[in-house]
Amino acid sequence: MHLVTRFAPSPTGPLHLGHAFSALTAWELARAQGGTFLLRIEDIDRARSRREWEAAIYDDLAWLGLDWPGPVLRQSERIPAYRAALEILWRRGLLYPCTCNRRDIRAAASAPQEGDAPPMGPDGLVYPGTCKGRPATGAMPHDVALRLHMDRAMAETGPLSFEEHTAADHCGQVAVDPAAAVAEIGDVVLARRDMATSYHLSVVVDDAHQAITDVVRGRDLFEATAIHVVLQALLGLPVPRYHHHRLIRDEAGKRLAKRDDARAIALYRAEGLRPGDVRAMVGL
Ligand code: GLU
Ligand code: ZN
């Protein structure tokens, strides 16, 4: 089968060494297998995304020696596709509206219970279920966050799994256990009030839309993959192979984040470094 992979940055800041590693790893996987490398701009966060950062992404990746076929898919142009997927879930009674803010969730989650620390999921605190009983019939509301009924979802799908490739010579099946998904992931947000979708929903819809066979991304998204596999099962979408790669860390051992502009590729370029130097810095 023809391999298709992608690099899917959000244009909310400069690309840094961690992005370079991710993009190079995906591009080289495609090249090694005679496959296709796609670029996708994940700009659903309209408040933080900037056209300048998108232009900088094209510049930096081209400088690194990467190429990709056009047109580049931009998630901000795909909102109707995400709404259609949400409608399917809504009509099946798998979503409910939620009006909690972060503070509400913190307060409800840490209300004295059995004394255990509130569980943390891939998106932070596991949602304590405050809005779970809210009516979720009639037309799907557009002005409110929508959460997935994880228990109902897992009752529909049963146990799931995905194929994880940790290295070229090592792969295995990762199980998504229904009880664990309910307890450790919980009712994640699939549509944020301010963006009509969420990272989890749009990444799943678009990986299927672009016929991605192999998702290459950082280890920090490994736990979120269970959410994606649940959504793929609910929406009848294929499950790609996943390759979660090591994270690039700074000298203190902390993984690089968007705010680590000191490690921006553009800065190294401006200092006169060559693409080969950047490859060496990330251990390629
Ligand atoms: N836009 C996401 C990020 O910047 C992409 C994650 C993914 O590859 O699934 O981390
Ligand atoms: Zn709520």
Side-chain angles (χ1 to χ4, degrees), residues 1 5 25 31 35-37 47 55 58 72 89 124 200 205 240 245 276 278:
M1 189 176 55
T5 187
T25 303
R31 202 185 46 173
T36 304
F37 168 84
Y58 300 142
V72 169
L89 301 175
H200 301 306
V205 169
H245 58 66
V278 168

Side-chain angles (χ1 to χ4, degrees), residues 139-150:
M140 182 173 78
H142 283 227
D143 51 354
V144 70
L146 298 173
R147 286 186 182 274
L148 178 68
H149 270 290
M150 187 61 87

Side-chain angles (χ1 to χ4, degrees), residues 97-100 127 130-131 147:
C98 172
T99 51
C100 300
Y127 183 61
T130 319
C131 293
R147 286 186 182 274

Side-chain angles (χ1 to χ4, degrees), residues 98-121:
C98 172
T99 51
C100 300
N101 59 32
R102 277 173 203 280
R103 194 172 343 118
D104 299 332
I105 294 173
R106 235 182 355 254
S110 57
Q113 296 161 342
E114 281 83 71
D116 294 334
M120 292 294 278

Side-chain angles (χ1 to χ4, degrees), residues 231-277:
L231 293 176
Q232 285 150 0
L234 293 173
L235 294 168
L237 304 175
V239 184
R241 287 180 289 264
Y242 287 92
H243 309 244
H244 290 96
H245 58 66
R246 65 185 164 85
L247 300 176
I248 304 298
R249 297 176 185 280
D250 64 14
E251 296 77 29
K254 223 169 65 36
R255 83 175 166 87
L256 300 184
K258 275 269 153 56
R259 59 188 171 281
D260 285 299
D261 293 358
R263 290 174 185 73
I265 299 166
L267 226 81
Y268 293 121
R269 285 171 64 186
E271 285 170 2
L273 267 68
R274 306 299 311 150
D277 301 321

